[in-house]
Amino acid sequence: LLDDIVLTHSLFLPTERFLQQLQQQYPGGPPARWEEGSGLRRKRAVLAVLLHFLETYKGLLQEEESAGKVIKELYLLIMKDTSLYHELEDEIIKLHQLVETVELKVADETPPPNKQVKPLFRHFRRIDSCLQTRVAFRGSDEIFCRVYMPDHSYVTIRSRLSASVQDILASVTEKLQYSEEQSARGDALILVTVASSGEKAVLQPSEECVFTTLGINSHLFACTRDSFDSLVPLPEEIQVVPGDTEIHRAEPEDVANHLTAFHWELFRCIHELEFVDYVFHGERGRRETANLELLLQRCSEVQHWVGTELLLCEGLGKRAHLLKKLIKIAAICKQNQDMLSFYAIVIGLNNAAVSRLRLTWEKLPGKFKNLFRKFENLTDPCRNHKTYREVLAKMKPPLIPFVPLILKDLTFLHEGSKTLLDGLVNVEKLHCIAEKVRTVRKYRSRPLCLELEASPAQLQTKAYVRQLRVIDNQNLLFELSYKLEPGSQ
């Protein structure tokens, strides 16, 4: 019950108020004011909740200034009792360690040192940044970002991940030395996302954390309202050159293992509470769902990567061989218990632009046709993904689940019942939500151990897997498909 409340309290009580309630429940004053033993019991109860809260939230609290302030006050109150209540010594020592762990400096209020700039997924496609081990993102983390102009020139800005559109435009304006006079004339800049399909959307000044919500091949453009209609995608997003990539040279085992290793890093970075915030639009909002959104973006990226590689392969024999290799990669990912990669590859192979390539599929050996049919049955959504759930239930950690299905389940729980009934908290709903979130904890309860060599060839495969070049424009994928096999039905 304690874990249920700590995981889901933001649905019915904001963090700051939750902590204030906790502070009010901590009995202050001399022990004589309380009946014998009751003060100790209440103090121990409050400590139990606070310790569990800190263990669960950890790094997220660095983003919650108001919550951190309440915790500091409560911490100082508890530390005063150290000499009075020797029975609480173990809990107080643990509290002190946790407060230090989450960097809630109580005595030292000096500003933290400058944080290192973290690279996002497709950040400049630099090999050195893409090979870095992935670490969790927080809203205050700083990243570099390119913002393009209508003529496809760009400025590079350094920005917080949680920066608002208004903040980003202020940085761009400063870089461009955009004058106040131009702004006064009505030529103020707006921030626009432009997808590879040419689709455009104006971002509102108050929107935050836009970097992790961009599509795979979407880019930020700054322009005036007059030049909005002239915005077009970057040339590299619409000009496709067929040809061999690293996948034709790499072994299926190597590609699959590097996919699993990378996706494990991304999955491990997601805080349990991101699942709750993402589905229930919690108080922290997009600032604290960045890691989850990056994993979802990567899932979509792998799906489109499968179609891109096949449709850029011009020779029929070579394309059939690549199709066979991709099915092998899916099989090895399943063996690695990386169900995210497995699902994404199978969905990619079922893309209409790929599945219509009749001549390519006919050249696939019968053994691989049968194997792919089994994979399709496993990913079949019938009866609420029954087959997949049965297979997953038999797996032991570590494993990477198909994360979109967890979000679907949480959404169903949210929409299927009310959080408050007649002013009372629906504890059964909170328990079901917490149980689903606890499965994530279980999947990550053991470390992933994959033996990956550090040879030049392996590093090349690793770099390829971590910075996939993909086409996410379905119309363009169909064009390529019809060029390869015009008559296929």
Side-chain angles (χ1 to χ4, degrees):
L1 179 61
L2 176 58
D3 197 43
D4 290 354
I5 291 169
V6 168
L7 283 172
T8 62
H9 74 80
S10 62
L11 274 65
F12 62 92
L13 194 65
T15 300
E16 190 178 354
R17 279 183 53 204
F18 175 79
L19 290 167
Q20 285 169 349
Q21 290 282 339
L22 204 58
Q23 188 176 15
Q24 289 169 17
Q25 292 301 316
Y26 191 80
R33 287 183 54 194
W34 300 93
E35 293 179 21
E36 189 176 349
S38 67
L40 179 62
R41 285 196 301 273
R42 286 186 60 181
K43 288 173 188 289
R44 181 163 272 152
V46 171
L47 265 169
V49 178
L50 183 60
L51 289 172
H52 197 81
F53 176 87
L54 289 172
E55 281 181 319
T56 304
Y57 277 68
K58 290 185 179 172
L60 293 185
L61 289 169
Q62 295 169 32
E63 306 296 314
E64 302 267 0
E65 286 186 23
S66 54
K69 185 172 179 289
V70 179
I71 292 170
K72 287 175 186 177
E73 291 172 0
L74 186 52
Y75 171 80
L76 292 171
L77 189 65
I78 291 167
M79 291 307 286
K80 287 178 182 177
D81 281 346
T82 308
S83 59
L84 296 173
Y85 291 90
H86 298 292
E87 300 93 334
L88 300 176
E89 188 176 341
D90 291 344
E91 287 99 326
I92 290 174
I93 289 172
K94 192 175 180 184
L95 174 64
H96 181 72
Q97 291 169 341
L98 281 170
V99 166
E100 284 196 333
T101 301
V102 298
E103 296 179 23
L104 291 169
K105 307 291 185 187
V106 177
D108 182 14
E109 295 292 344
T110 55
N114 289 333
K115 293 189 176 182
Q116 183 182 359
V117 178
K118 295 183 179 179
L120 281 175
F121 263 156
R122 307 166 68 76
H123 176 59
F124 299 155
R125 303 193 188 283
R126 276 171 33 191
I127 288 182
D128 59 337
S129 66
C130 84
L131 291 179
Q132 290 177 19
T133 301
R134 284 283 145 180
V135 292
F137 277 100
R138 296 286 171 250
S140 60
D141 289 336
E142 291 193 324
I143 59 166
F144 283 121
C145 171
R146 283 180 181 171
V147 180
Y148 290 85
M149 303 298 121
D151 62 357
H152 291 170
S153 61
Y154 62 84
V155 294
T156 304
I157 62 170
R158 180 169 173 163
S159 170
R160 285 177 296 105
L161 187 67
S162 61
S164 68
V165 169
Q166 194 170 359
D167 294 336
I168 296 168
L169 285 173
S171 298
V172 172
T173 300
E174 186 181 343
K175 280 267 185 172
L176 292 174
Q177 296 182 326
Y178 203 74
S179 69
E180 290 183 13
E181 184 184 335
Q182 287 171 301
S183 181
R185 287 205 315 260
D187 296 338
L189 295 176
I190 57 173
L191 198 65
V192 182
T193 61
V194 180
S196 60
S197 61
E199 192 176 334
K200 294 174 280 193
V202 179
L203 298 172
Q204 298 305 310
S206 60
E207 287 187 59
E208 292 184 341
C209 225
V210 297
F211 303 110
T212 55
T213 61
L214 293 173
I216 300 168
N217 289 327
S218 295
H219 297 277
L220 293 175
F221 279 74
C223 67
T224 61
R225 292 198 178 273
D226 291 342
S227 57
F228 174 79
D229 292 334
S230 67
L231 297 181
V232 293
L234 300 180
E236 59 262 34
E237 305 297 357
I238 54 178
Q239 293 171 2
V240 179
V241 181
D244 291 355
T245 61
E246 180 63 28
I247 193 170
H248 292 275
R249 296 180 287 277
E251 291 296 321
E253 292 82 2
D254 295 339
V255 175
N257 288 340
H258 281 294
L259 279 170
T260 299
F262 187 40
H263 295 162
W264 177 256
E265 287 177 25
L266 295 171
F267 182 51
R268 193 188 55 196
C269 286
I270 302 170
H271 197 287
E272 296 168 359
L273 291 156
E274 291 190 46
F275 289 91
V276 178
D277 287 337
Y278 186 89
V279 173
F280 303 98
H281 310 296
E283 59 190 306
R284 285 172 298 278
R286 299 204 97 112
R287 286 183 295 120
E288 292 306 339
T289 59
N291 304 291
L292 178 54
E293 295 198 46
L294 285 173
L295 184 67
L296 295 174
Q297 187 188 103
R298 173 64 176 186
C299 185
S300 175
E301 191 174 61
V302 173
Q303 292 173 34
H304 287 97
W305 161 70
V306 170
T308 301
E309 290 288 9
L310 281 167
L311 295 169
L312 291 181
C313 186
E314 294 183 300
L316 178 59
K318 186 179 276 191
R319 194 162 60 251
H321 180 73
L322 179 56
L323 178 58
K324 176 181 166 183
K325 181 179 276 191
L326 286 164
I327 293 171
K328 266 189 186 178
I329 292 170
I332 298 164
C333 287
K334 179 175 175 287
Q335 188 178 319
N336 288 343
Q337 300 196 141
D338 176 8
M339 301 308 287
L340 184 86
S341 302
F342 168 77
Y343 242 95
I345 292 169
V346 174
I347 292 171
L349 291 172
N350 273 318
N351 185 304
V354 174
S355 60
R356 66 168 294 281
L357 298 174
R358 180 176 55 82
L359 298 177
T360 307
W361 285 93
E362 282 179 356
K363 284 187 76 70
L364 192 67
K367 174 185 171 183
F368 284 88
K369 286 179 183 174
N370 292 333
L371 183 61
F372 185 66
R373 273 195 286 270
K374 288 180 182 177
F375 291 170
E376 286 183 305
N377 290 334
L378 177 52
T379 57
D380 191 335
C382 286
R383 298 168 70 188
N384 195 17
H385 300 266
K386 182 175 182 291
T387 310
Y388 165 74
R389 293 181 193 276
E390 287 174 348
V391 169
L392 200 69
K394 293 174 184 174
M395 292 181 174
K396 294 180 180 179
L399 67 94
I400 308 171
F402 184 56
V403 172
L405 190 54
I406 295 176
L407 297 175
K408 178 187 171 186
D409 291 343
L410 284 170
T411 303
F412 178 79
L413 285 170
H414 181 39
E415 295 179 351
S417 57
K418 293 182 178 179
T419 302
L420 297 173
L421 296 169
D422 299 325
L424 299 175
V425 176
N426 183 354
V427 177
E428 183 62 30
K429 173 180 177 176
L430 301 190
H431 175 68
C432 291
I433 292 165
E435 278 292 294
K436 180 58 64 176
V437 174
R438 274 191 286 271
T439 61
V440 175
R441 189 182 299 172
K442 175 187 157 191
Y443 298 150
R444 301 188 296 199
S445 60
R446 295 183 64 186
L448 178 74
C449 298
L450 276 178
E451 293 183 9
L452 299 170
E453 296 176 16
S455 64
Q458 287 287 346
L459 286 175
Q460 194 172 352
T461 303
K462 181 179 180 180
Y464 163 75
V465 163
R466 290 175 177 236
Q467 52 175 6
L468 301 172
R469 283 185 175 271
V470 303
I471 300 169
D472 64 338
N473 183 343
Q474 191 63 32
N475 290 332
L476 188 51
L477 291 174
F478 268 119
E479 282 179 30
L480 291 167
S481 180
Y482 280 104
K483 282 179 184 175
L484 294 173
E485 296 186 26
S488 296
Q489 296 296 318

